[in-house]
Structures are given as C-alpha cells and as structure tokens.
Amino acid sequence: MTMHIRFARALRVPLASLVGALVLAASLAVAPGDASAARLKDIASFSGVRNNDLVGYGLVVGLSGTGDGTSSTFTLQSMSNMLEKMGVEASPDKLKPKNVAAVMVTAKMPVSSKPGSMLDVTVSSLGDAKSLLGGVLLLTPLKGLDGRVYAVAQGALTIGGFAIEGEAATAQKNIATVGRIPSGASVERGVPFRFNNQDTMTLNLMVQDFGTTMQVVNKINATMGGNYASARDISTVDLNLPERYLGNMVPLMASLENLDIAPDGRARVVVDEKTGTVVLGHEVRLSRVAVAHGNLQIVIAETQNVSQPGPFSDGETVITPQTDLAIEEQNNPLMLMEGATLHELVDGLNSIGATPRDLISIIRALKAAGSLHAEVEVI
C-alpha cells in the first residue's frame, strides 16, 4: 500500500489554478472601463417586467413499462380519480401503474402573456418511474402562487436521454425522468397587470453598489433631459415618467435599457475548493509582501511479507509488515510581491510556481496577513 502526503511550507500559494484557467487574458487586454461596460437591461430589472412561476400535478401515460411501481400510492389514487371522472370505476388496489407516472409540471409565464399564448413546460417525475421516454402528459392545470389556474398543459414529451435496464446490466444517458414539451401549455388567464398604466417605474439593480446606482441615475437623467430618476437605496432607482410617455412606455424603456453602464463593486476573490478554481476581480490589489512557497512530500510504502516456518516444525506462518519511507522537500526562496494592477498580481503569484490547489491556501494567507485588499468568497 502506498500513501502520498503533501505539506505546504510557509505560505501555500493557491494561485496556480488561478492563472491556468482564470480567463484573465480578456480582462487584461482591454481597459477596465471598456471591459466592464454593460447594458442597463443586463444589470437591472424593471418593475412589472417579470416572469410568473406556474406549477401543476399531472399524469404521464403511454410509458413502456418504465412508470411508477405499486409503492407510489399517490399515482394509484390519481389514476383511480381520473378514471372515475371519466365514468370508469376502478379500485386503486387493482391498478397496475407501470405505464403511468405521476409528474410535476412547471412553467414560466411572462407578465405580457395573454389568453391563447403558448408556454414551454418542464415535466419531472414525482414517483419511482425509470424513464418518461415516449410518454404523453394528460391535461394538467397550472396554478400560480394565488392558487388560480393560469394555463393548462398537455402533449407528448421530448426526453434528452434514455434509461434501459435488464436482468444484469443497465444503460443510461443523461436524465430520463425529466422532459420538456415545447409550447405545451396554453394560457387561459392573463396576469392582472397593465404595464402602460404606470406613472412611475422602479429599477432594481443586481449590483449592490452606491457608485453604480448613482451612475445609473445620472445616465437616465442625462438621457431624459431632467431630474426624473432618483436613488431610493443602494440598488433601487425610482423613475418618474414624463407626461409624454404616460400610456406609451415602450419607447422610453427601449431607449433606457440600452444605456451603457460600467458596474462597479467591492474587490472580490472567488474560490471554488471543489474544483480548485480561483477567480480574481480586476479591482483586486495586493500590498507589498514577501511570500515563500515550498512543498514537503512524504511517500510511505507498506509491504506485507510472509514468514513461513520449515516443514514439520512447531512454528506458525506470520505476516511481517515492512515500511519504506521517502522524503522530498522543496526549498524555495522568499519572493517579494506587490500588485497595483491585476496583471502585476497575477505575474507575482505565478512567479512563486503555485499549483491550483496551493492557490487557495495562499489567498487565505495573504488575506490573513492583511496584504490582499479584497473580499474572499468560498463557494
């Protein structure tokens, strides 16, 4: 048996992965102002312009023996209730649901949807069905949070995979218990909201930053030629509509949503320890600091030897373990690092020769030393 144990000496530099897959080339090649420009509609949402989630419970039929088993009692009860509504008496105990599966049906309904509009729906198995391949969803009402029915769904499913099971082997590609029905739901009731009836508008920014919020306010006021926009808090902008746009807000929204905004925010380093990925924001700065990085590798090899006694002796056969140790240590010098820009910071971390896993530890060490001026977020 062989075991490998690695120790990091001094400041372990978790930065090697940072540069290997960091996508920094694009952010370094372009000036920060140009690289960070975004359209207003990409960083903010407008009040009243949103999707409404719908959900429903239904049955998928026509499966080739891959439906729910008899342990899914809700499937049996649903089948019995459906048949009774159609004038067929059927006891749940006598039903065999292997060709039927209970499912949850979900859809997103835009606020602008009107009766007769079509929506895409997602169908997900609720019981122990093996696959929904070849199934057909029966008429299923879709309800909103208020409990009212807004759409009905029905149709044949499209599955992006398959699952086949035999006596001694199984084969599966992707997930076969979730399917889609393109344009599978018909809207029966619209959301009671009139977009053009508003005299004020609220913009909710996805960026939590005072500077970005004021940038949005100033850009809107400059575009509209007056003090129509004001900041309510760090991420909310209130907009009073000019009289000429009352009842006709679409032209105004079309012009505002394409305004160029340069989002700003706190400097941040994002670390994903599961994959060894590190991403640095372009505002990350590093004060002058000396960093040393070295690895200590210990290899332990275990060998099991057997001691066999001679014939016709009173000895016993025993196992005698043998352990071999090998130690290798890197001795790297201290490196002086300082990063006034992201490019300088990356070059400094690369000069240490850290591996992707080492980078995570080095970032934490720099933060603890007070030299890394950024928020470290572990996901």
Side-chain angles (χ1 to χ4, degrees):
M1 176 178 63
T2 301
M3 298 184 297
H4 295 272
I5 304 175
R6 296 180 64 87
F7 298 94
R9 289 290 179 82
L11 292 175
R12 283 180 48 184
V13 189
L15 169 58
S17 94
L18 157 59
V19 178
L22 189 55
V23 207
L24 291 179
S27 61
L28 297 177
V30 188
D34 297 332
S36 58
R39 297 174 302 178
L40 180 58
K41 61 182 174 183
D42 295 327
I43 63 170
S45 61
F46 299 88
S47 62
V49 184
R50 48 162 291 182
N51 290 329
N52 297 276
D53 292 311
L54 305 180
V55 66
Y57 170 84
L59 293 175
V60 170
V61 299
L63 304 177
S64 182
T66 59
D68 293 339
T70 55
S71 60
S72 298
T73 56
F74 49 85
T75 304
L76 297 172
Q77 190 63 52
S78 300
M79 292 173 59
S80 176
N81 294 341
M82 178 191 67
L83 293 174
E84 285 183 4
K85 291 180 180 179
M86 295 184 175
V88 180
E89 293 186 6
S91 172
D93 299 333
K94 297 180 180 180
L95 296 175
K96 304 295 183 183
K98 65 178 182 178
N99 291 340
V100 181
V103 295
M104 296 302 296
V105 184
T106 58
K108 290 186 177 296
M109 178 180 171
V111 69
S112 59
S113 295
K114 299 297 185 291
S117 301
M118 304 303 293
L119 307 175
D120 295 342
V121 298
T122 300
V123 181
S124 308
S125 174
L126 190 61
D128 54 358
K130 301 296 187 299
S131 173
L132 299 180
L133 182 64
V136 176
L137 176 69
L138 298 182
L139 194 65
T140 302
L142 302 180
K143 299 180 179 180
L145 288 176
D146 56 1
R148 304 178 69 184
V149 175
Y150 286 90
V152 291
Q154 182 170 266
L157 277 68
T158 60
I159 307 295
F162 62 82
I164 303 174
E165 182 175 331
E167 291 294 334
T170 60
Q172 179 174 334
K173 179 182 179 181
N174 299 332
I175 303 299
T177 52
V178 178
R180 296 270 296 177
I181 307 179
S183 301
S186 175
V187 176
E188 300 296 325
R189 175 186 287 113
V191 177
F193 174 77
R194 298 293 180 267
F195 179 76
N196 276 321
N197 287 359
Q198 304 176 87
D199 55 5
T200 61
M201 171 68 68
T202 301
L203 279 68
N204 300 304
L205 302 182
M206 303 174 189
V207 181
Q208 303 285 323
D209 179 72
F210 288 108
T212 303
T213 301
M214 287 309 303
Q215 184 184 163
V216 171
V217 170
N218 294 334
K219 275 284 185 77
I220 292 177
N221 287 335
T223 300
M224 298 178 62
N227 294 323
Y228 296 100
S230 61
R232 184 193 308 176
D233 52 41
I234 191 173
S235 61
T236 306
V237 175
D238 292 326
L239 177 63
N240 294 319
L241 300 182
E243 186 175 351
R244 63 182 181 277
Y245 289 113
L246 294 179
N248 186 26
M249 295 175 54
V250 174
L252 175 62
M253 294 298 103
S255 62
L256 293 182
E257 66 180 6
N258 288 311
L259 292 178
D260 287 332
I261 304 297
D264 201 356
R266 299 181 60 183
R268 179 173 299 179
V269 177
V270 180
V271 175
D272 185 351
E273 288 194 288
K274 299 183 290 294
T275 61
T277 301
V278 178
V279 178
L280 301 180
H282 73 91
E283 293 294 339
V284 176
R285 298 292 183 267
L286 185 67
S287 298
R288 179 167 295 188
V289 62
V291 178
H293 166 68
N295 284 330
L296 175 65
Q297 177 173 319
I298 301 177
V299 179
I300 304 176
E302 297 283 359
T303 304
Q304 303 294 338
N305 298 322
V306 178
S307 177
Q308 181 69 36
F312 306 107
S313 66
D314 294 333
E316 296 181 355
T317 301
V318 296
I319 298 176
T320 57
Q322 177 181 340
T323 302
D324 297 323
L325 297 178
I327 300 177
E328 179 182 351
E329 181 177 9
Q330 294 180 355
N331 186 17
N332 293 332
L334 280 169
M335 300 289 295
L336 191 62
M337 293 174 49
E338 183 177 13
T341 67
L342 182 59
H343 191 203
E344 294 172 353
L345 174 57
V346 171
D347 287 344
L349 290 172
N350 280 334
S351 65
I352 300 175
T355 65
R357 291 295 175 184
D358 290 336
L359 178 56
I360 298 173
S361 298
I362 261 255
I363 292 295
R364 289 176 171 171
L366 291 173
K367 181 66 175 179
S371 299
L372 182 66
H373 307 302
E375 175 186 353
V376 178
E377 179 179 351
V378 180
I379 61 175

